[in-house]
Structures are given as C-alpha cells and as structure tokens.
C-alpha cells in the first residue's frame, strides 16, 4: 500500500468521513425513536446500523487508503457522543439505572481532565488500548440487546439477559482501561519533561 501524501491526509470528503457524519445524524434519530416514538424495534435497527458503519469506516479507511486527519478526530468524537447519549437516553426511558450513567460519564470526565497534563508534555492523547476498544464494543453490543429485552416474551427476556451480561462486562473493562490510562499518564509525567508553550 502506498504511503499517504500530506494532501491525502487533509482530505475531507472520504467514505469513512461520510459514514461518521451519518452516524452523527443517527444519534438524533435514535433519541427521537426511543424517547418520543417509543419505537424500540426501529431504535435497535438504528443502533445496529451505527455499529456496522463504525466498523466499516475504519475498515474502509485502511483498505482504501482513505485515512485523514478529520477522520482521526471525527470517528472517536462520534464514538464518545454515542457513549454518552445512548446510555442517558436509556436511563431517561427507565431501561437502565442511573448509576451506569454516573460510572461511564465520570470515567470519561476524569480522562478529559488529563488532557492539559498530556499537552504540557507535547502529547494530544494517550494510545488507545485494546481493553478500551473491547469495552466500547461490549457496551455498544449490550445496549441494543437490552432494548430487545423489553418485550414480554421468553426470547426477549433471554436476549435482554445476554445484553446485561455484555453491559456489565463492558463496564468492568471500561474501568480497567481507565486504570491503564492512569498508569500511562503516570509514566508520561515521570519520564517526559514539560515542553514550552511555543513548542506545543
């Protein structure tokens, strides 16, 4: 595969970026379907489409050599937005307890508070860990399954139980990845000197 040129890195209109924008729009569609229409089946479909497009945009970026600076910012930003909006919507609808929201948001808030420390060392972010990716996968798999568990039928209860298993597994890994990020931050603080503001 050929190396990307600077011009290619500055591209905006790429297939992965379009998919990320579609996912962003679908967040609003999901909230409307869940909270206003109570159309759980359609809301599940939106989550599944969003999950599939999330996988597809990364795959396409690698296979078709369509990585871009915008994509590197937009894709994780949409992921983080989903990780806030989806569980909050579930809690508002009374599907999951609010303590789940507190855990997820508190973890991300503490990570966000680390950014000034990283920037003082000339870094923009910590490397994404496999555990963090697995946690996001488990959580985003658990939410639609829990939603499918809202019908009064045996198949629904079974799927809902599987969804709760994914959710609990995802929360545990989310906290584990948080501990790993804190450890990484400690190494950065100890081993990397502060850089001047002009060099940032």
């Amino acid at each position: 595969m050929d190396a990307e040129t600077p011009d290619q890195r500055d591209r905006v209109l790429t297939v992965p970026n379009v998919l990320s924008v579609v996912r962003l729009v679908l967040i609003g569609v999901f909230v409307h379907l869940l909270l206003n229409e109570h159309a759980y089946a359609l809301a599940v479909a939106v989550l599944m489409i969003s999950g599939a497009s999330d996988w597809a945009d990364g795959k396409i970026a690698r296979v078709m050599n369509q990585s871009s600076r915008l994509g590197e910012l937009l894709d994780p930003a949409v992921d983080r937005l989903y990780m806030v909006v989806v569980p909050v919507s579930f809690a508002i609808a009374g599907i999951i307890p609010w303590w789940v929201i507190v855990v997820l948001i508190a973890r991300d808030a503490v990570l966000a508070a680390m950014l000034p420390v990283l920037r003082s060392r000339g870094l923009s972010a910590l490397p994404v860990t496999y555990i963090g990716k697995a946690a996001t996968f488990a959580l985003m798999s658990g939410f639609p399954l829990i939603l499918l568990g809202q019908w009064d039928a045996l198949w629904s209860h079974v799927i809902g139980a599987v969804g709760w298993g994914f959710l609990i597994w995802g929360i545990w890994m989310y906290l584990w990845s948080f501990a790993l990020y804190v450890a990484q931050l400690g190494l950065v603080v100890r081993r990397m000197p502060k850089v001047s503001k002009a060099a940032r």
Side-chain angles (χ1 to χ4, degrees):
M1 186 178 293
D2 295 333
E4 291 181 331
T5 65
D7 287 343
Q8 288 176 316
R9 295 283 295 152
D10 291 335
R11 290 174 300 186
V12 173
L13 189 58
T14 66
V15 174
N17 290 347
V18 170
L19 289 175
S20 292
V21 171
V22 169
R23 288 171 55 224
L24 185 62
V25 172
L26 287 177
I27 294 176
V29 175
F30 168 78
V31 172
H32 173 71
L33 290 172
L34 182 69
L35 299 181
N36 296 333
E37 301 294 331
H38 306 291
Y40 289 175
L42 290 175
V44 169
V46 169
L47 287 180
M48 293 177 68
I49 292 170
S50 298
S53 63
D54 186 24
W55 172 85
D57 64 12
K59 188 73 172 178
I60 291 170
R62 291 188 297 272
V63 173
M64 298 179 62
N65 199 24
Q66 291 198 354
S67 298
S68 65
R69 291 187 179 89
L70 176 61
E72 290 172 359
L73 296 173
L74 186 59
D75 182 55
V78 175
D79 284 344
R80 295 275 69 81
L81 195 55
Y82 262 95
M83 291 307 301
V84 172
V85 173
V86 171
V88 167
S89 299
F90 271 57
I92 292 173
I95 297 172
I96 62 174
W98 279 98
W99 68 261
V100 173
I101 313 305
V102 172
V103 169
L104 297 179
I105 293 180
R107 182 260 197 190
D108 283 347
V110 174
L111 287 180
M114 295 179 180
L115 290 177
V117 178
L118 292 174
R119 287 171 180 156
S120 72
R121 265 68 180 181
L123 300 175
S124 59
L126 291 170
V128 176
T129 65
Y130 171 78
I131 297 297
K133 290 182 178 180
T136 300
F137 169 79
L139 291 169
M140 296 311 293
S141 298
F143 287 124
L145 294 175
I146 290 172
L147 197 52
L148 284 173
Q150 300 307 301
W151 282 270
D152 188 18
L154 178 59
W155 66 267
S156 179
H157 296 323
V158 171
I159 292 176
V162 173
W164 274 103
F166 270 103
L167 182 63
I168 293 170
W169 177 42
I171 290 172
W172 181 78
M173 287 193 296
Y174 219 54
L175 295 176
W176 184 9
S177 67
F178 170 72
L180 294 177
Y181 285 132
V182 171
Q184 288 179 353
L185 180 67
L187 291 174
V188 167
V189 170
R190 288 196 301 269
R191 297 180 179 180
M192 295 183 66
K194 289 185 178 181
V195 298
S196 65
K197 291 183 179 181
R200 295 181 197 174

